Amino acid sequence: MTRPSLIAGNWKMNGMLADARALAKAIAGGHRPAAGNRSDVVLCPPAPLLLAVGEALAGSAVALGGQDCHAKPSGAFTGDVSARLLADIGCRYVIVGHSERRTLHGESDATVRAKAEAALAAGLIAIICVGETLAEREAGATASVLERQIDGSVPAAAAAATTVVAYEPVWAIGTGKVATTAQVAEAHGGLRRRLARNHADGGEFRLLYGGSVKPDNAGELLALPDVDGALVGGASLDAGQFLAIVAAARG
Ligand code: PGA
């Protein structure tokens, strides 16, 4: 397996300045990868906390990422943040197309793709999220929904070095209901095949699982052959839990 693992912490709209600094310092201080370990770890705090968290992570093996970006490089877009600005202040990653953005902010596959294109243009690694709702799963539409999202959300120019895909079944996010290893293996296998059909190095894209990842289930999820890491929400707000998930990832 040549793909280095990636564990991403998505803090969502949580934390105040002092908590964020303390949490980032605890995670940075506790993550001491052995020599030769190529795994990546990234924290994605709320936008106003990026600079402070970046300072707390300076000199550590933990990278900084945004939770969203605008598709345009600058302009009259009140409240939005450009991918260029994220890169300029020290981010290496940005999450795009999280289901909370797709659902609560009405983001379509085309919007997500435009944001991912902006991320790539800014030199960021895009973490593009996909995932079916419970209704779609129960209707037997999981595979077709994931294919549609991959085809519509992943830029044609995306490549394994610049793009990560996170499979996050909507029904497993923040619910404590983790997908079974069989469900994850099937979804990731389908994503891998779809990416390989669409991109020359599609077989090498890193695929993350997200949705109620905790220290007690991370080991079995991260051991699946097509799971290259995790996108962690709730458990990333606790340094001990997040570091335990990082420790469960392969090097
Ligand atoms: P969760 O969130 O780990 O709290 O389920 C995952 C995510 O939304 O990225």
Side-chain angles (χ1 to χ4, degrees), residues 10 12 98 100 168 172-174 211-213 231-234:
N10 174 12
K12 308 192 180 184
H98 189 281
E100 287 150 18
E168 298 206 306
I173 295 176
S212 300
V213 177
L231 181 52
V232 184

Coordinates of all heavy atoms in Angstrom, one line a residue, residues 10 12 98 100 168 172-174 211-213 231-234, ligand 1:
N10 N -12.1 17.9 11.7 CA -13.0 18.9 11.2 C -13.7 19.4 12.5 O -14.6 18.8 13.0 CB -14.0 18.3 10.3 CG -15.1 19.3 9.9 OD1 -15.0 20.5 10.1 ND2 -16.1 18.7 9.2
K12 N -15.6 21.9 12.8 CA -16.9 22.6 12.5 C -17.0 23.9 13.2 O -16.0 24.6 13.4 CB -18.1 21.6 12.8 CG -17.9 20.2 12.2 CD -19.1 19.3 12.2 CE -18.7 18.0 11.5 NZ -19.9 17.1 11.5
H98 N -18.7 19.4 2.1 CA -19.2 18.6 3.3 C -20.7 18.6 3.2 O -21.3 19.5 2.8 CB -18.7 19.3 4.6 CG -19.0 18.5 5.8 ND1 -20.2 18.4 6.4 CD2 -18.2 17.7 6.5 CE1 -20.2 17.6 7.4 NE2 -18.9 17.2 7.5
E100 N -22.9 19.0 5.4 CA -23.5 20.2 6.0 C -23.6 21.4 5.1 O -24.5 22.2 5.2 CB -22.8 20.5 7.4 CG -23.2 19.4 8.4 CD -22.1 19.1 9.4 OE1 -21.2 19.9 9.6 OE2 -22.2 18.0 10.0
E168 N -18.6 10.2 3.4 CA -19.2 10.4 4.6 C -20.7 10.2 4.5 O -21.5 11.1 4.0 CB -19.0 11.9 5.1 CG -17.6 12.2 5.3 CD -17.4 13.4 6.3 OE1 -18.1 14.4 6.1 OE2 -16.8 13.2 7.3
A172 N -24.5 8.9 9.1 CA -23.5 8.5 10.1 C -22.8 9.7 10.7 O -21.9 9.5 11.6 CB -22.4 7.5 9.5
I173 N -23.1 10.9 10.3 CA -22.3 12.1 10.7 C -23.0 12.6 12.0 O -24.1 13.0 12.0 CB -22.3 13.2 9.7 CG1 -21.5 12.7 8.4 CG2 -21.7 14.5 10.2 CD1 -21.6 13.7 7.3
G174 N -22.2 12.6 13.1 CA -22.6 13.1 14.3 C -23.7 12.4 15.0 O -24.3 12.8 16.0
G211 N -17.7 9.9 9.6 CA -19.0 9.6 10.2 C -18.9 8.8 11.5 O -18.7 7.6 11.4
S212 N -18.9 9.5 12.6 CA -18.8 8.9 13.9 C -17.5 8.0 14.1 O -17.6 7.0 14.7 CB -20.0 8.1 14.2 OG -21.2 9.0 14.2
V213 N -16.4 8.5 13.5 CA -15.1 7.8 13.8 C -14.7 8.1 15.2 O -14.6 9.3 15.6 CB -14.0 8.2 12.8 CG1 -12.7 7.5 13.1 CG2 -14.5 7.8 11.3
L231 N -11.9 11.3 8.2 CA -12.3 12.7 8.5 C -13.2 12.7 9.7 O -14.2 12.0 9.8 CB -13.2 13.2 7.3 CG -13.7 14.7 7.3 CD1 -12.5 15.7 7.6 CD2 -14.3 15.1 6.0
V232 N -12.6 13.3 10.8 CA -13.1 13.1 12.1 C -13.8 14.4 12.6 O -13.1 15.5 12.6 CB -12.0 12.8 13.1 CG1 -12.5 12.5 14.5 CG2 -11.2 11.6 12.5
G233 N -15.0 14.4 13.0 CA -15.7 15.6 13.5 C -15.6 15.6 15.1 O -14.6 16.0 15.6
G234 N -16.6 15.1 15.7 CA -16.7 15.2 17.2 C -15.5 14.7 17.9 O -15.0 15.5 18.8
Ligands
PGA1 P1 -18.5 13.1 13.2 O1 -18.4 14.2 11.9 O2 -17.2 12.5 13.3 O3 -18.9 14.0 14.3 O4 -19.6 12.2 12.8 C1 -17.7 13.8 10.8 C2 -17.8 14.9 9.8 O5 -18.8 15.5 9.6 O6 -16.7 15.2 9.1

